[in-house]
mmCIF file of all heavy atoms in Angstrom:
data_model
loop_
_atom_site.group_PDB
_atom_site.id
_atom_site.type_symbol
_atom_site.label_atom_id
_atom_site.label_comp_id
_atom_site.label_asym_id
_atom_site.label_seq_id
_atom_site.Cartn_x
_atom_site.Cartn_y
_atom_site.Cartn_z
ATOM 1 N N GLY A 1 -20.006 -19.558 7.618
ATOM 2 C CA GLY A 1 -18.607 -19.930 7.682
ATOM 3 C C GLY A 1 -17.754 -18.744 8.051
ATOM 4 O O GLY A 1 -18.143 -17.590 7.859
ATOM 5 N N GLU A 2 -16.600 -19.044 8.589
ATOM 6 C CA GLU A 2 -15.678 -17.985 8.989
ATOM 7 C C GLU A 2 -14.995 -17.384 7.769
ATOM 8 O O GLU A 2 -14.460 -18.094 6.929
ATOM 9 C CB GLU A 2 -14.624 -18.548 9.951
ATOM 10 C CG GLU A 2 -13.696 -17.500 10.512
ATOM 11 C CD GLU A 2 -12.668 -18.076 11.470
ATOM 12 O OE1 GLU A 2 -12.762 -19.266 11.814
ATOM 13 O OE2 GLU A 2 -11.759 -17.322 11.850
ATOM 14 N N ARG A 3 -15.012 -16.075 7.697
ATOM 15 C CA ARG A 3 -14.381 -15.353 6.597
ATOM 16 C C ARG A 3 -13.028 -14.820 7.071
ATOM 17 O O ARG A 3 -12.972 -14.130 8.091
ATOM 18 C CB ARG A 3 -15.282 -14.207 6.143
ATOM 19 C CG ARG A 3 -16.506 -14.677 5.361
ATOM 20 C CD ARG A 3 -17.755 -13.950 5.831
ATOM 21 N NE ARG A 3 -18.908 -14.165 4.980
ATOM 22 C CZ ARG A 3 -19.738 -15.187 5.099
ATOM 23 N NH1 ARG A 3 -19.537 -16.114 6.006
ATOM 24 N NH2 ARG A 3 -20.770 -15.304 4.283
ATOM 25 N N VAL A 4 -11.978 -15.129 6.324
ATOM 26 C CA VAL A 4 -10.631 -14.697 6.693
ATOM 27 C C VAL A 4 -9.895 -14.168 5.472
ATOM 28 O O VAL A 4 -10.235 -14.480 4.334
ATOM 29 C CB VAL A 4 -9.800 -15.843 7.323
ATOM 30 C CG1 VAL A 4 -10.395 -16.281 8.645
ATOM 31 C CG2 VAL A 4 -9.664 -17.006 6.386
ATOM 32 N N VAL A 5 -8.866 -13.360 5.748
ATOM 33 C CA VAL A 5 -8.009 -12.826 4.690
ATOM 34 C C VAL A 5 -6.677 -13.553 4.753
ATOM 35 O O VAL A 5 -6.089 -13.694 5.824
ATOM 36 C CB VAL A 5 -7.791 -11.306 4.860
ATOM 37 C CG1 VAL A 5 -6.770 -10.799 3.868
ATOM 38 C CG2 VAL A 5 -9.091 -10.565 4.714
ATOM 39 N N PHE A 6 -6.207 -14.018 3.595
ATOM 40 C CA PHE A 6 -4.857 -14.554 3.477
ATOM 41 C C PHE A 6 -4.024 -13.433 2.888
ATOM 42 O O PHE A 6 -4.165 -13.086 1.713
ATOM 43 C CB PHE A 6 -4.819 -15.799 2.588
ATOM 44 C CG PHE A 6 -3.450 -16.389 2.469
ATOM 45 C CD1 PHE A 6 -2.945 -17.211 3.456
ATOM 46 C CD2 PHE A 6 -2.660 -16.100 1.368
ATOM 47 C CE1 PHE A 6 -1.672 -17.740 3.350
ATOM 48 C CE2 PHE A 6 -1.387 -16.626 1.250
ATOM 49 C CZ PHE A 6 -0.886 -17.445 2.247
ATOM 50 N N ASP A 7 -3.163 -12.847 3.724
ATOM 51 C CA ASP A 7 -2.362 -11.690 3.325
ATOM 52 C C ASP A 7 -1.005 -12.157 2.809
ATOM 53 O O ASP A 7 -0.301 -12.907 3.488
ATOM 54 C CB ASP A 7 -2.186 -10.757 4.514
ATOM 55 C CG ASP A 7 -1.608 -9.409 4.141
ATOM 56 O OD1 ASP A 7 -1.397 -9.153 2.941
ATOM 57 O OD2 ASP A 7 -1.371 -8.610 5.065
ATOM 58 N N LEU A 8 -0.634 -11.708 1.622
ATOM 59 C CA LEU A 8 0.651 -12.074 1.035
ATOM 60 C C LEU A 8 1.817 -11.258 1.593
ATOM 61 O O LEU A 8 2.978 -11.616 1.395
ATOM 62 C CB LEU A 8 0.602 -11.903 -0.491
ATOM 63 C CG LEU A 8 -0.322 -12.847 -1.246
ATOM 64 C CD1 LEU A 8 -0.336 -12.483 -2.726
ATOM 65 C CD2 LEU A 8 0.082 -14.285 -1.060
ATOM 66 N N GLU A 9 1.535 -10.180 2.292
ATOM 67 C CA GLU A 9 2.577 -9.273 2.781
ATOM 68 C C GLU A 9 3.653 -9.967 3.622
ATOM 69 O O GLU A 9 4.844 -9.698 3.421
ATOM 70 C CB GLU A 9 1.942 -8.110 3.555
ATOM 71 C CG GLU A 9 2.897 -6.990 3.888
ATOM 72 C CD GLU A 9 3.581 -7.189 5.227
ATOM 73 O OE1 GLU A 9 3.004 -7.860 6.100
ATOM 74 O OE2 GLU A 9 4.706 -6.693 5.378
ATOM 75 N N PRO A 10 3.321 -10.867 4.549
ATOM 76 C CA PRO A 10 4.378 -11.518 5.341
ATOM 77 C C PRO A 10 5.342 -12.379 4.516
ATOM 78 O O PRO A 10 6.429 -12.717 4.982
ATOM 79 C CB PRO A 10 3.608 -12.387 6.332
ATOM 80 C CG PRO A 10 2.236 -11.850 6.360
ATOM 81 C CD PRO A 10 1.997 -11.243 5.017
ATOM 82 N N PHE A 11 4.974 -12.723 3.309
ATOM 83 C CA PHE A 11 5.795 -13.583 2.461
ATOM 84 C C PHE A 11 6.702 -12.786 1.518
ATOM 85 O O PHE A 11 7.459 -13.369 0.748
ATOM 86 C CB PHE A 11 4.911 -14.534 1.658
ATOM 87 C CG PHE A 11 4.021 -15.371 2.524
ATOM 88 C CD1 PHE A 11 2.699 -15.017 2.735
ATOM 89 C CD2 PHE A 11 4.513 -16.502 3.146
ATOM 90 C CE1 PHE A 11 1.879 -15.780 3.546
ATOM 91 C CE2 PHE A 11 3.708 -17.274 3.963
ATOM 92 C CZ PHE A 11 2.384 -16.913 4.167
ATOM 93 N N LEU A 12 6.605 -11.466 1.575
ATOM 94 C CA LEU A 12 7.404 -10.609 0.706
ATOM 95 C C LEU A 12 8.741 -10.280 1.356
ATOM 96 O O LEU A 12 8.847 -10.175 2.578
ATOM 97 C CB LEU A 12 6.658 -9.305 0.413
ATOM 98 C CG LEU A 12 5.294 -9.418 -0.255
ATOM 99 C CD1 LEU A 12 4.691 -8.042 -0.423
ATOM 100 C CD2 LEU A 12 5.383 -10.146 -1.562
ATOM 101 N N PHE A 13 9.746 -10.081 0.543
ATOM 102 C CA PHE A 13 11.060 -9.654 1.022
ATOM 103 C C PHE A 13 10.980 -8.172 1.340
ATOM 104 O O PHE A 13 10.662 -7.357 0.464
ATOM 105 C CB PHE A 13 12.128 -9.941 -0.042
ATOM 106 C CG PHE A 13 13.493 -9.463 0.324
ATOM 107 C CD1 PHE A 13 14.216 -10.082 1.327
ATOM 108 C CD2 PHE A 13 14.052 -8.381 -0.339
ATOM 109 C CE1 PHE A 13 15.478 -9.638 1.670
ATOM 110 C CE2 PHE A 13 15.323 -7.933 -0.012
ATOM 111 C CZ PHE A 13 16.038 -8.559 1.004
ATOM 112 N N GLN A 14 11.223 -7.817 2.590
ATOM 113 C CA GLN A 14 11.156 -6.445 3.084
ATOM 114 C C GLN A 14 9.812 -5.784 2.766
ATOM 115 O O GLN A 14 9.735 -4.579 2.549
ATOM 116 C CB GLN A 14 12.317 -5.609 2.554
ATOM 117 C CG GLN A 14 13.664 -6.081 3.027
ATOM 118 C CD GLN A 14 14.806 -5.217 2.520
ATOM 119 O OE1 GLN A 14 14.640 -4.350 1.666
ATOM 120 N NE2 GLN A 14 15.997 -5.472 3.063
ATOM 121 N N SER A 15 8.759 -6.577 2.719
ATOM 122 C CA SER A 15 7.391 -6.111 2.418
ATOM 123 C C SER A 15 7.288 -5.372 1.094
ATOM 124 O O SER A 15 6.390 -4.566 0.898
ATOM 125 C CB SER A 15 6.868 -5.214 3.539
ATOM 126 O OG SER A 15 6.780 -5.923 4.738
ATOM 127 N N LEU A 16 8.235 -5.651 0.178
ATOM 128 C CA LEU A 16 8.245 -4.930 -1.089
ATOM 129 C C LEU A 16 8.162 -5.816 -2.317
ATOM 130 O O LEU A 16 7.439 -5.502 -3.262
ATOM 131 C CB LEU A 16 9.520 -4.073 -1.199
ATOM 132 C CG LEU A 16 9.638 -2.911 -0.244
ATOM 133 C CD1 LEU A 16 11.005 -2.266 -0.368
ATOM 134 C CD2 LEU A 16 8.550 -1.892 -0.524
ATOM 135 N N VAL A 17 8.930 -6.889 -2.338
ATOM 136 C CA VAL A 17 9.036 -7.696 -3.553
ATOM 137 C C VAL A 17 8.919 -9.185 -3.233
ATOM 138 O O VAL A 17 9.163 -9.621 -2.112
ATOM 139 C CB VAL A 17 10.375 -7.450 -4.288
ATOM 140 C CG1 VAL A 17 10.470 -6.038 -4.793
ATOM 141 C CG2 VAL A 17 11.545 -7.793 -3.409
ATOM 142 N N VAL A 18 8.595 -9.946 -4.266
ATOM 143 C CA VAL A 18 8.556 -11.393 -4.167
ATOM 144 C C VAL A 18 9.907 -11.944 -4.608
ATOM 145 O O VAL A 18 10.355 -11.667 -5.719
ATOM 146 C CB VAL A 18 7.438 -11.978 -5.070
ATOM 147 C CG1 VAL A 18 7.495 -13.487 -5.084
ATOM 148 C CG2 VAL A 18 6.076 -11.490 -4.619
ATOM 149 N N LYS A 19 10.555 -12.658 -3.717
ATOM 150 C CA LYS A 19 11.745 -13.419 -4.090
ATOM 151 C C LYS A 19 11.239 -14.847 -4.281
ATOM 152 O O LYS A 19 10.875 -15.513 -3.326
ATOM 153 C CB LYS A 19 12.812 -13.349 -2.997
ATOM 154 C CG LYS A 19 13.501 -12.014 -2.903
ATOM 155 C CD LYS A 19 14.513 -12.009 -1.783
ATOM 156 C CE LYS A 19 15.904 -12.106 -2.340
ATOM 157 N NZ LYS A 19 16.924 -12.038 -1.253
ATOM 158 N N GLU A 20 11.196 -15.275 -5.530
ATOM 159 C CA GLU A 20 10.475 -16.490 -5.874
ATOM 160 C C GLU A 20 10.887 -17.710 -5.053
ATOM 161 O O GLU A 20 10.033 -18.429 -4.541
ATOM 162 C CB GLU A 20 10.615 -16.797 -7.365
ATOM 163 C CG GLU A 20 9.777 -17.986 -7.784
ATOM 164 C CD GLU A 20 9.748 -18.216 -9.275
ATOM 165 O OE1 GLU A 20 10.338 -17.423 -10.039
ATOM 166 O OE2 GLU A 20 9.124 -19.206 -9.687
ATOM 167 N N LYS A 21 12.150 -17.965 -4.937
ATOM 168 C CA LYS A 21 12.607 -19.165 -4.234
ATOM 169 C C LYS A 21 12.133 -19.164 -2.772
ATOM 170 O O LYS A 21 11.576 -20.151 -2.291
ATOM 171 C CB LYS A 21 14.125 -19.266 -4.304
ATOM 172 C CG LYS A 21 14.679 -20.551 -3.766
ATOM 173 C CD LYS A 21 16.181 -20.634 -3.984
ATOM 174 C CE LYS A 21 16.712 -21.964 -3.460
ATOM 175 N NZ LYS A 21 18.154 -22.079 -3.663
ATOM 176 N N GLU A 22 12.335 -18.041 -2.078
ATOM 177 C CA GLU A 22 11.928 -17.934 -0.678
ATOM 178 C C GLU A 22 10.399 -17.947 -0.544
ATOM 179 O O GLU A 22 9.852 -18.525 0.393
ATOM 180 C CB GLU A 22 12.500 -16.663 -0.040
ATOM 181 C CG GLU A 22 13.992 -16.707 0.184
ATOM 182 C CD GLU A 22 14.799 -16.294 -1.043
ATOM 183 O OE1 GLU A 22 14.213 -16.034 -2.116
ATOM 184 O OE2 GLU A 22 16.036 -16.252 -0.931
ATOM 185 N N PHE A 23 9.735 -17.305 -1.483
ATOM 186 C CA PHE A 23 8.277 -17.253 -1.479
ATOM 187 C C PHE A 23 7.700 -18.661 -1.587
ATOM 188 O O PHE A 23 6.846 -19.057 -0.798
ATOM 189 C CB PHE A 23 7.800 -16.372 -2.641
ATOM 190 C CG PHE A 23 6.329 -16.090 -2.647
ATOM 191 C CD1 PHE A 23 5.814 -15.046 -1.907
ATOM 192 C CD2 PHE A 23 5.462 -16.853 -3.415
ATOM 193 C CE1 PHE A 23 4.455 -14.764 -1.916
ATOM 194 C CE2 PHE A 23 4.104 -16.586 -3.440
ATOM 195 C CZ PHE A 23 3.601 -15.542 -2.686
ATOM 196 N N ARG A 24 8.172 -19.415 -2.554
ATOM 197 C CA ARG A 24 7.687 -20.787 -2.740
ATOM 198 C C ARG A 24 8.026 -21.670 -1.538
ATOM 199 O O ARG A 24 7.214 -22.492 -1.123
ATOM 200 C CB ARG A 24 8.262 -21.386 -4.024
ATOM 201 C CG ARG A 24 7.670 -20.783 -5.285
ATOM 202 C CD ARG A 24 8.239 -21.445 -6.535
ATOM 203 N NE ARG A 24 7.720 -20.853 -7.735
ATOM 204 C CZ ARG A 24 6.572 -21.200 -8.322
ATOM 205 N NH1 ARG A 24 5.829 -22.139 -7.794
ATOM 206 N NH2 ARG A 24 6.177 -20.607 -9.431
ATOM 207 N N GLN A 25 9.208 -21.493 -0.972
ATOM 208 C CA GLN A 25 9.610 -22.292 0.187
ATOM 209 C C GLN A 25 8.732 -21.974 1.399
ATOM 210 O O GLN A 25 8.325 -22.881 2.131
ATOM 211 C CB GLN A 25 11.082 -22.069 0.540
ATOM 212 C CG GLN A 25 11.586 -22.982 1.632
ATOM 213 C CD GLN A 25 11.478 -24.459 1.250
ATOM 214 O OE1 GLN A 25 11.863 -24.860 0.159
ATOM 215 N NE2 GLN A 25 10.940 -25.251 2.153
#
C-alpha cells in the first residue's frame, strides 16, 4: 500500500499555533 504523511502544518495559523475554529473548519 501507498505510505503517505498527513502534515498538520498547513492547518496551523502562521505555521505556529492551532486556532481551533479555523482548524476544525
Side-chain angles (χ1 to χ4, degrees):
E2 185 180 352
R3 287 135 170 86
V4 295
V5 173
F6 181 81
D7 191 4
L8 293 176
E9 191 270 333
F11 303 98
L12 301 178
F13 177 70
Q14 296 181 350
S15 297
L16 293 174
V17 295
V18 174
K19 287 179 105 177
E20 185 173 357
K21 187 175 181 180
E22 289 85 356
F23 188 85
R24 289 182 182 275
Q25 186 60 47

